[in-house]
Amino acid sequence: MLNFLAIPIFIVGVIKFGERTWVLRSASSEHFRDSMLQDPDPCPNYARYMEEYSSKRSEGFRYRDLKGVSKELKNMIFEQLQQKSRSASNFEACKQLCARRGDWVLENEGCLEKLGWSIDEVEFDQSNLLWHIATDICYHFDLNRNLNPDSNTNCEASKLVSNYMLYLLVMCPFMLPNGIGLIRFRDTCAEAEEFFKEKRIMKSDTKQACTKLYNVCTDILPSKVKGDRSKSVLFDACRLAKALQSLKTEENWYNQKWELMSQVWVEMLSYAANQCRWGDHAQQLRWGGELLTRVWLIMAHLGLTEQFQISEGHVRAKLIVG
């Protein structure tokens, strides 16, 4: 009987001895030092990044140099979001404001009837391309009239956001609402090349190219002439540029036009930021982050996002990750 009880006691003793030995080893200075050191950081996957870069370059795409966001643009983004935040009295109102992608600005400026088709009646990627081309055409139209658009802060902001949104469409389409943006982009480029070839315009002569595009007669809708097989938006963008230039209600319309366009671009930027999945925002932070993600964080701070809810009676936000 005694021998039978000794066996489990012996086993327990061995276990206790092992535990004490492991604790003493863990407490050693060498092991303690190793436990305090972080795991080696391999850094972002440079090889994979360069593979993506080479693939995009072979398709004809080009990465642009990084350009800082001006103080004026930062203020413009924050002021518009702050204005929306103040007007959102409840979650439903907030949800409606988050769904606006330029039409809120047009409605406030009384231009929705004339320009609303470029936003309300088309998908977001189509609207993005329309306004990008129209912004370039308007810029060179003003340049030809010696209006010095480069000195206009709203014009500068419009071009910055316009180029950035096109960059997202081509290089980071996963951060934008689902659509056929790349197909529209390629079809538009193909139609533009055909038009410039016919008019004998050099690709490098942007000024002449925009002038020729602006002078194209667009009295008949392009879709009625071409059908819908091609997804190009080139000549619809010409219609938009002419519509923007024709809204001369006052002598100071030059400044008002660029103010309107910059505000529309900011609202399109905030709409895209809100529509982007939070996981994609988090993924981009590994590579230094995007302006789109920073806008999303500002919107979350102001309570302007469908992924955050404000509990009634408490100034406290709840993140919805589902």
Side-chain angles (χ1 to χ4, degrees):
M1 183 66 179
L2 183 61
N3 291 337
F4 180 75
L5 292 174
I7 293 174
I9 294 174
F10 175 76
I11 295 175
V12 171
V14 172
I15 294 173
K16 289 294 182 182
F17 177 78
E19 288 177 348
R20 289 173 182 171
T21 303
W22 181 80
V23 169
L24 289 172
R25 182 182 177 279
S26 298
S28 66
S29 59
E30 183 178 351
H31 187 77
F32 179 74
R33 181 194 62 191
D34 292 341
S35 66
M36 292 296 292
L37 294 175
Q38 296 181 352
D39 293 334
D41 183 6
C43 297
N45 193 328
Y46 176 78
R48 188 175 67 182
Y49 176 85
M50 292 308 297
E51 285 178 4
E52 293 177 0
Y53 171 80
S54 300
S55 175
K56 293 294 184 182
R57 185 173 60 181
S58 66
E59 294 177 14
F61 302 140
R62 294 290 184 270
Y63 279 86
R64 292 181 177 271
D65 294 334
L66 295 176
K67 191 166 186 178
V69 180
S70 65
K71 183 179 178 181
E72 291 78 13
L73 179 55
K74 291 178 182 178
N75 291 335
M76 192 181 300
I77 293 171
F78 185 76
E79 287 171 4
Q80 185 184 109
L81 294 178
Q82 193 175 44
Q83 183 181 357
K84 282 189 173 183
S85 177
R86 289 170 179 166
S87 61
S89 56
N90 51 53
F91 180 70
E92 189 60 34
C94 172
K95 188 175 180 180
Q96 291 177 3
L97 283 173
C98 288
R100 309 299 288 268
R101 50 189 179 97
D103 49 326
W104 182 75
V105 174
L106 296 180
E107 186 178 358
N108 290 340
E109 296 296 329
C111 302
L112 188 60
E113 184 178 351
K114 193 162 188 177
L115 302 176
W117 63 269
S118 65
I119 294 174
D120 291 337
E121 300 176 14
V122 297
E123 296 180 8
F124 181 74
D125 56 89
Q126 187 173 353
S127 184
N128 190 353
L129 277 171
L130 282 171
W131 279 81
H132 173 77
I133 298 171
T135 299
D136 265 6
I137 293 176
C138 288
Y139 169 78
H140 285 92
F141 182 87
D142 291 346
L143 204 62
N144 290 339
R145 296 166 61 196
N146 298 319
L147 292 175
N148 194 19
D150 291 319
S151 63
N152 189 302
T153 56
N154 287 312
C155 175
E156 181 185 5
S158 298
K159 286 183 63 62
L160 278 173
V161 181
S162 170
N163 290 336
Y164 177 68
M165 291 297 289
L166 184 67
Y167 154 77
L168 291 178
L169 179 70
V170 176
M171 306 307 300
C172 305
F174 58 89
M175 297 193 75
L176 297 178
N178 293 332
I180 55 171
L182 284 178
I183 296 175
R184 294 190 200 281
F185 175 75
R186 288 166 179 161
D187 284 358
T188 301
C189 288
E191 186 170 35
E193 288 181 3
E194 186 68 24
F195 175 78
F196 298 150
K197 182 179 179 181
E198 181 185 339
K199 299 296 181 181
R200 298 181 180 179
I201 302 172
M202 298 291 292
K203 290 183 180 180
S204 57
D205 194 350
T206 311
K207 186 176 179 180
Q208 186 184 7
C210 289
T211 301
K212 289 290 186 181
L213 284 172
Y214 184 83
N215 290 332
V216 171
C217 178
T218 55
D219 292 342
I220 301 176
L221 293 178
S223 59
K224 291 186 176 181
V225 178
K226 303 184 304 174
D228 60 355
R229 182 176 178 180
S230 172
K231 303 304 179 183
S232 172
V233 301
L234 183 64
F235 296 110
D236 283 311
C238 297
R239 288 176 55 217
L240 177 59
K242 290 183 178 182
L244 286 164
Q245 294 290 9
S246 67
L247 293 173
K248 297 180 180 179
T249 55
E250 298 180 10
E251 294 182 0
N252 198 32
W253 171 244
Y254 167 73
N255 292 323
Q256 292 179 349
K257 174 190 68 180
W258 284 113
E259 183 179 358
L260 170 73
M261 293 172 68
S262 64
Q263 291 295 327
V264 169
W265 274 119
V266 168
E267 187 167 35
M268 290 175 69
L269 177 68
S270 62
Y271 172 81
N274 184 63
Q275 292 294 311
C276 180
R277 294 182 294 268
W278 64 270
D280 291 327
H281 280 303
Q283 184 71 17
Q284 288 302 106
L285 289 173
R286 297 179 57 196
W287 306 91
E290 289 285 353
L291 172 62
L292 198 73
T293 300
R294 286 164 169 77
V295 172
W296 177 69
L297 290 172
I298 295 173
M299 293 177 70
H301 174 71
L302 295 173
L304 278 175
T305 174
E306 297 176 43
Q307 294 171 329
F308 284 82
Q309 287 184 352
I310 306 299
S311 301
E312 292 185 9
H314 301 278
V315 186
R316 186 167 55 195
K318 178 184 177 182
L319 176 62
I320 304 172
V321 295

